[in-house]
Amino acid sequence: MALQIAVFFVIEDAGHYWLHRALHWGPLYKNIHKIHHQYSAPFGLAAEYASPIEVMLLGIPTVGTPILWCAITGNLHILTMYTWILLRLFQAIDAHSGYEFPWSLHHFLPVWAGAQHHDVHHEKFIGNYSSSFRWWDKLMDTEAGLEAQKRRRERRMMKEGKKIQ
């Protein structure tokens, strides 16, 4: 069960990243996702405050991942599905809580996004699209926040320094 749920988190995070990033594109943001961003300082239940269309879209990787797993392996216990949905809901509430709780996975797993990562997303309305892990934001250069800005500035200065030489 633990291995399956870990795989579900990795696969769901990829789907969530791309769908969430797409929801920040002009018409999709204005007509669908803006409702969720009415709270710039999120709290736990704001995780579920969204348009029905957004809930359905972002629900595809959440529900589709275990279904895909079952279709490929033929192995999915209903208790695993219940546990997965419960943990995914807790993760969404934790990310929108506004607090880095001592038990947050971010303290034990450095690639875990956590509340601080998602708070910046709600503050800036751009970047930090990942739900669980930070690697998609790092890979696609969509991290937001002071540390990310500093890294971009350093990379730009390095490039400009190479052009001068």
Side-chain angles (χ1 to χ4, degrees), residues 36-100:
H36 178 72
H37 277 277
Q38 285 180 345
Y39 293 102
S40 60
F43 60 97
L45 294 178
E48 299 306 310
Y49 184 72
S51 126
I53 296 168
E54 179 176 350
V55 171
M56 286 187 291
L57 282 173
L58 294 179
I60 291 169
T62 302
V63 176
T65 297
I67 292 170
L68 179 65
W69 175 274
C70 186
I72 293 170
T73 67
N75 179 19
L76 180 65
H77 194 280
I78 190 69
L79 187 59
T80 304
M81 184 70 168
Y82 288 145
T83 304
W84 156 244
I85 296 296
L86 184 69
L87 290 174
R88 180 64 185 92
L89 185 59
F90 282 157
Q91 183 278 331
I93 292 170
D94 179 57
H96 287 84
S97 70
Y99 296 101
E100 284 288 347

